[in-house]
Amino acid sequence: DELLTKENVPSYDIIYPSKLEEGEVPLERVVGHKNQKKEILSVISWFKQSKELKAKGVSIPKGILLFGEPGNGKSLLIKEIIKCCECPVFVFRGEQANVVEGIVETFKRAREVGHAIIVFDELDLLINKERRVIRALQENLDGVESDDDILILSATNYLREIPDPLLRHGRLDKLINISYPTGEDALELLKKHFKE
C-alpha cells in the first residue's frame, strides 16, 4: 500500500503510516460496523491528542480489543486503522520462538519511540502458548498505564479465552464487538464481493 512504509525486525514489523490523502474517508474499505468504526476513530483521535489530553487530566483508553467470530472483518479493520495512525505502529509477530522475550522487546522499542501503537492480532492464540505470555503482557500493559504514550490494538476470535486480568482498567479496557454484518450491511458486502 502506498500509504505505508515498513521495517522488519525479528519480534515485530514497524509500519510508518503516512497521512490519508485529501478526501479519503477513514476505514472506508470496511463495509458496515458503523458504530464500531465511530468508537475506534474516537479512540484514535484521542490518542493523537494524548499529550494534550493527559495535561488536562483526561483519561483515555489504553487498549482496544476487537472481538467476534472468525471472518467478520477484525483483521481488515486493523489494517485500515493502521492507515489512520500518524505514528509508528508495531505489529507483533506471534510465530517467533520466544514470545515472552519478543513482547518485552516490542514494548521496550515502542517506549523508546515515545508515541506509538502496538498491534496484537489473534491474541487468543498468542496467550494460549504459555502462562508466562499472559504475565509478560500484564506487566507491560501495567507499564503503559504510567506515563507511556502507547496504545494497544488487539483482536481475538474468542473473548472467553482472554483472561480477566488483561481486561482490567488500564490494560485492554475498550472492548468492541465486531459482529457479522446483517441487513443493509450484508447486502452492501455481497455487492462489493460480486463487483470485485
Side-chain angles (χ1 to χ4, degrees), residues 5-16 82 88-96 105-106 109 117-119:
T5 56
K6 188 185 283 189
E7 176 186 330
N8 297 319
V9 177
S11 300
Y12 50 81
D13 293 330
I14 311 178
I15 299 173
Y16 301 91
I82 286 171
V89 179
F90 293 75
V91 182
F92 185 75
R93 292 181 173 183
E95 71 272 10
Q96 67 169 62
E105 180 187 348
T106 305
R109 181 72 182 100
I117 291 175
I118 301 176
V119 174

Side-chain angles (χ1 to χ4, degrees), residues 79-99:
K79 286 177 186 174
E80 292 302 303
I81 290 166
I82 286 171
K83 294 181 185 178
C84 303
C85 306
E86 296 167 16
C87 67
V89 179
F90 293 75
V91 182
F92 185 75
R93 292 181 173 183
E95 71 272 10
Q96 67 169 62
N98 193 330
V99 176

Side-chain angles (χ1 to χ4, degrees), residues 11-28:
S11 300
Y12 50 81
D13 293 330
I14 311 178
I15 299 173
Y16 301 91
S18 59
K19 290 187 178 182
L20 295 174
E21 298 290 328
E22 189 175 339
E24 188 174 357
V25 179
L27 310 184
E28 185 177 31

Side-chain angles (χ1 to χ4, degrees), residues 138-190:
Q138 282 179 234
E139 289 172 356
N140 282 280
L141 287 167
D142 285 340
V144 172
E145 194 174 7
S146 64
D147 291 331
D148 294 327
D149 202 11
I150 297 171
L151 177 68
I152 308 303
L153 175 58
S154 57
T156 181
N157 292 330
Y158 306 104
L159 182 60
R160 65 183 177 275
E161 299 288 332
I162 309 302
D164 287 341
L166 290 181
L167 305 178
R168 288 181 188 155
H169 177 70
R171 294 177 182 169
L172 301 175
D173 46 9
K174 184 73 171 172
L175 305 181
I176 301 178
N177 184 9
I178 309 299
S179 56
Y180 282 119
T182 57
E184 289 182 11
D185 288 345
L187 184 59
E188 187 183 345
L189 187 61
L190 193 62

Side-chain angles (χ1 to χ4, degrees), residues 10-46:
S11 300
Y12 50 81
D13 293 330
I14 311 178
I15 299 173
Y16 301 91
S18 59
K19 290 187 178 182
L20 295 174
E21 298 290 328
E22 189 175 339
E24 188 174 357
V25 179
L27 310 184
E28 185 177 31
R29 289 184 59 223
V30 179
V31 174
H33 307 302
K34 183 179 176 183
N35 293 331
Q36 292 91 331
K37 288 193 285 190
K38 188 175 178 182
E39 269 190 281
I40 290 163
L41 289 172
S42 292
V43 176
I44 296 296
S45 175
W46 297 333

